[in-house]
Amino acid sequence: MKNFALIGAAGYIAPRHLKAIKDTNNNLIAALDKFDSVGIMDSYFPNADFFVEFERFDRHIEKIKRQQNISLDYVSICTPNYLHDSHIRMALRRGADAICEKPLVLNPWNVDALADIEKESGQRINTILQLRLHSSIIQLKNKVASENKKGKYDVDLTYITSRGNWYDISWKGDASKSGGIATNIGVHFYDMLSWVFGEVEENVVHLREKNKAAGYLEFKNARVRWFLSIDENDLPQNIKDIGQRTFRSINIDNTELEFSKGFTELHTESYKNILKGNSFGLEDAKNSIQIVHDIRNQEINSKGEKHLFLNKI
């Protein structure tokens, strides 16, 4: 049984980490969040110590090690994107491995700095890239590898996940903290695309607004037109008609990739792999971090093929 701490216990994604720790028969000894709406912990680890101040949390971790010889094995990090780098460093300083939600960090050079610290500490930085564990995505990757297709696959990625007014007020609406729309809701798709279709050859941005973005990515084996939005007005009419607030589609050579199911246990599967020493690390995360950094910082232009949804804007 391994000892875990969790930073960001009140966040949206935290319950998946709590469940994964529980499902892999491990123990949560401490949790931290500046917000105290963490009643979900009662369903998993009611005896875990909880803190709303980082200083007291950090002191507690050191205290139980010195007085009770209880050491941390892992720190799970579910905090806002801009804090990941700092919290990963804290985990390694405490002699624990880090398990961090995506995006691991916001900038490519942060990955290089963390690689140096990881080497110095002898600890491991793990990231959650759960789409790589989805059976449909694995099948797609194997298909692309085996087909040896002449020419490139044509891919349309569309992801619209409606968000209310709260989004702009939260850290997610601040690009300096979240990395902007493409980073916050798209980074796992870009990771999946580069994992399946190979190295990025071209990255063009056609639209970059606070609540939506679109562009063209060319990989070694695919041409990808992508559109991301949190604006419910961008939803297709048939989706609105049934009262659905999310639309997700990956179309490859005019064939829809079915991957709407099979997500519920992917964090637990990620933890199982981490505990076996078979996890995704810094190098695995770097491609998608580079992609979103470039999307965030380059000029808008009209090169490349455009996503059809741009015709509506």
Side-chain angles (χ1 to χ4, degrees):
M1 182 177 286
K2 301 296 184 180
N3 289 326
F4 281 75
L6 174 67
I7 307 179
Y12 163 78
I13 205 67
R16 298 189 194 180
H17 287 260
L18 289 167
K19 184 177 186 300
I21 296 168
K22 186 76 170 181
D23 287 350
T24 52
N25 298 314
N26 292 294
N27 186 39
L28 182 73
I29 61 174
L32 167 71
D33 203 294
K34 63 187 291 188
F35 301 106
D36 59 9
S37 297
V38 291
I40 186 67
M41 288 177 59
D42 286 347
S43 299
Y44 297 100
F45 299 101
N47 295 321
D49 292 306
F50 175 70
F51 301 86
V52 295
E53 295 173 333
F54 178 84
E55 293 80 5
R56 290 186 174 183
F57 169 79
D58 192 46
R59 176 180 175 273
H60 176 74
I61 297 302
E62 181 175 356
K63 182 179 177 181
I64 62 174
K65 181 176 182 179
R66 291 183 180 275
Q67 295 184 359
Q68 302 176 45
N69 198 30
I70 298 174
S71 297
L72 275 181
D73 297 298
Y74 294 93
V75 176
S76 297
I77 299 163
C78 306
T79 50
N81 300 347
Y82 73 108
L83 296 175
H84 288 176
D85 187 287
S86 175
H87 291 152
I88 289 169
R89 291 165 185 257
M90 173 268 173
L92 270 55
R93 284 198 307 271
R94 287 294 174 210
D97 289 354
I99 301 175
C100 188
E101 268 296 338
K102 59 204 164 298
L104 191 68
V105 287
L106 291 178
N107 302 298
W109 55 85
N110 300 137
V111 177
D112 298 331
L114 286 176
D116 291 337
I117 298 170
E118 184 182 50
K119 185 176 180 180
E120 291 169 6
S121 69
Q123 304 303 136
R124 170 77 171 169
I125 300 171
N126 309 280
T127 189
I128 303 292
L129 300 174
Q130 76 269 32
L131 283 184
R132 297 193 186 193
L133 303 179
H134 195 290
S135 58
S136 296
I137 305 303
I138 294 171
Q139 290 171 15
L140 174 63
K141 180 177 174 61
N142 293 337
K143 176 184 176 184
V144 170
S146 63
E147 279 187 344
N148 197 23
K149 178 179 177 177
K150 293 181 180 179
K152 301 191 178 189
Y153 294 88
D154 284 303
V155 181
D156 288 287
L157 165 65
T158 313
Y159 183 48
I160 304 166
T161 178
S162 307
R163 296 290 186 265
N165 292 335
W166 65 269
Y167 188 94
D168 285 342
I169 305 302
S170 76
W171 64 268
K172 295 182 180 183
D174 183 342
S176 68
K177 295 180 177 180
S178 69
I181 189 75
T183 304
N184 207 36
I185 72 168
V187 67
H188 54 304
F189 289 116
Y190 301 128
D191 171 74
M192 180 270 287
L193 290 168
S194 63
W195 186 61
V196 171
F197 294 112
E199 295 181 3
V200 177
E201 297 179 347
E202 189 172 11
N203 186 345
V204 179
V205 179
H206 297 139
L207 174 73
R208 187 177 59 235
E209 296 179 354
K210 193 167 187 177
N211 61 358
K212 66 192 74 177
Y216 173 76
L217 277 163
E218 187 155 338
F219 296 90
K220 179 181 179 181
N221 294 308
R223 294 180 293 266
V224 180
R225 297 162 292 275
W226 60 269
F227 180 88
L228 305 173
S229 175
I230 58 169
D231 184 353
E232 64 180 336
N233 295 312
D234 292 324
L235 290 167
Q237 189 58 50
N238 64 314
I239 299 299
K240 293 179 183 178
D241 290 343
I242 60 175
Q244 193 170 309
R245 291 178 55 80
T246 297
F247 175 72
R248 178 174 54 206
S249 170
I250 298 179
N251 190 288
I252 303 170
D253 286 349
N254 295 315
T255 300
E256 192 70 23
L257 174 66
E258 174 51 50
F259 71 119
S260 58
K261 298 178 181 179
F263 282 91
T264 54
E265 299 300 322
L266 292 184
H267 274 73
T268 295
E269 289 304 310
S270 297
Y271 270 65
K272 287 178 180 178
N273 285 339
I274 289 168
L275 290 160
K276 291 176 184 175
N278 184 29
S279 64
F280 302 119
L282 292 172
E283 283 303 312
D284 297 295
K286 197 168 185 179
N287 279 343
S288 58
I289 292 169
Q290 185 70 58
I291 290 171
V292 293
H293 169 269
D294 293 344
I295 289 172
R296 191 163 62 242
N297 290 284
Q298 66 178 288
E299 296 292 328
I300 305 294
N301 69 60
S302 58
K303 289 174 59 181
E305 302 171 26
K306 294 185 177 180
H307 194 285
L308 288 175
F309 275 46
L310 285 176
N311 297 331
K312 303 177 182 179
I313 298 173

